[in-house]
Amino acid sequence: MMLSLASTILAGCIILLIPETAHSSKYPRRSSGSSVATSGQTWRVEILSQLSSVFSDSNLRSSLKKRSVLLLLLGSFLAAPLQLGTGPIFIQYYSKRYSKTIEEAGYMLAIRGGLTIIVVGVLLPALSKYIGNRIPNFQRDLVLAQASAAFAGIGYFLLGGPEETTISGLIILSLSTGLGPLGRSLISNLVEPTHTSQVFTIASIVEGIGSLPSGPFLAWLFSQSMRVGGFWVGLPFFFLACLGVLVLAVLCLVKPEPYTSAETH
């Protein structure tokens, strides 16, 4: 786990070294002369210098200090385990709890996969267009993200219930598919265009850190639920349902904050 964490952070730092290619006319590209290493500098000094220049950017720091941006990063951390609930742990859970074969459990996931395509390809674009004609884009994405988090909570709660609610749980859970992209869209409305990819990279690092302990923890919850039995057999999915509710609570605190440049003060 520690190796995975180190690899995630290292990969994120490497991506942060990539300069922005989309610079607005209001914030012209900085001269690259100061960032070029002299012949006597080593690659290590150059990398540290590049990272230092990234985090010393006052506009980037001001963006990361915004309350809504921090809340969205927290939401990304809490939402990271939600994508694990319909993976191998669901196949083990469904096959053991209901004495089904692995193939039958796979068919259930295939149903969700088909529904996900419909949600992403048809439902979300249609809803975005319908709601976008009535409220601003930020509010539209926020409403859709809150609905996705609510669907995640309800869907996972139903997955942890009796077999009769499994299919309905998968259907409702498929409606939460857009949670990740909607979170990115909200972030892009809160930071300067010249810092969007860097903040996205930081959000990806946060998601990676949040997902690393989730797999072992869900596996531990699954083993405990099998040992306890009864209502608590669905414990891993009840935990994920609680995370969905927490993400919804965090998103309810997010407010629009137009970005401002530190260079204008």
Side-chain angles (χ1 to χ4, degrees):
M1 183 182 297
M2 295 303 298
L3 180 60
S4 299
L5 176 60
S7 300
T8 300
I9 296 176
L10 178 61
C13 291
I14 292 174
I15 296 175
L16 284 174
L17 292 176
I18 301 175
E20 283 280 359
T21 56
H23 291 265
S24 65
S25 58
K26 186 177 180 180
Y27 307 105
R29 183 187 299 273
R30 295 181 177 180
S31 174
S32 59
S34 60
S35 64
V36 178
T38 62
S39 57
Q41 285 182 312
T42 64
W43 63 270
R44 184 179 304 175
V45 175
E46 172 66 8
I47 291 177
L48 293 176
S49 175
Q50 292 283 357
L51 287 175
S52 176
S53 66
V54 169
F55 290 104
S56 63
D57 192 316
S58 59
N59 290 327
L60 178 60
R61 291 204 311 270
S62 64
S63 296
L64 293 175
K65 289 179 181 178
K66 287 183 178 180
R67 179 172 177 268
S68 292
V69 173
L70 292 175
L71 287 172
L72 288 171
L73 291 176
L74 175 60
S76 298
F77 177 82
L78 294 174
L82 296 179
Q83 58 186 335
L84 303 177
T86 52
I89 189 171
F90 173 80
I91 294 178
Q92 296 180 22
Y93 164 81
Y94 188 76
S95 61
K96 288 190 176 182
R97 180 174 183 179
Y98 303 119
S99 300
K100 303 291 185 179
T101 64
I102 299 296
E103 289 78 8
E104 290 175 313
Y107 293 149
M108 299 297 292
L109 291 184
I111 294 175
R112 182 182 183 272
L115 292 172
T116 299
I117 295 175
I118 296 175
V119 170
V120 175
V122 179
L123 187 58
L124 268 181
L127 282 176
S128 296
K129 184 176 181 180
Y130 177 78
I131 300 177
N133 293 330
R134 290 160 174 77
I135 59 178
N137 290 340
F138 182 87
Q139 292 295 335
R140 175 202 65 191
D141 292 341
L142 184 58
V143 169
L144 291 175
Q146 291 170 345
S148 297
F151 286 135
I154 297 172
Y156 275 122
F157 182 79
L158 293 176
L159 281 186
E163 185 177 5
E164 291 77 13
T165 64
T166 301
I167 294 181
S168 58
L170 288 173
I171 293 174
I172 294 176
L173 190 59
S174 65
L175 298 175
S176 68
T177 305
L179 182 58
L182 288 168
R184 293 292 197 275
S185 179
L186 289 170
I187 290 177
S188 67
N189 284 278
L190 296 172
V191 302
E192 298 176 16
T194 54
H195 295 134
T196 300
S197 66
Q198 292 172 333
V199 179
F200 280 6
T201 299
I202 294 173
S204 297
I205 295 174
V206 171
E207 285 183 355
I209 294 174
S211 63
L212 284 176
S214 304
F217 184 68
L218 287 175
W220 178 80
L221 285 180
F222 176 71
S223 63
Q224 294 301 310
S225 66
M226 291 292 106
R227 182 177 61 84
V228 175
F231 173 79
W232 296 107
V233 172
L235 185 59
F237 299 101
F238 295 149
F239 168 73
L240 292 173
C242 291
L243 284 182
V245 174
L246 283 177
V247 174
L248 174 61
V250 170
L251 291 174
C252 288
L253 299 176
V254 173
K255 305 296 180 184
E257 298 180 46
Y259 58 81
T260 57
S261 172
E263 297 175 0
T264 61
H265 296 296

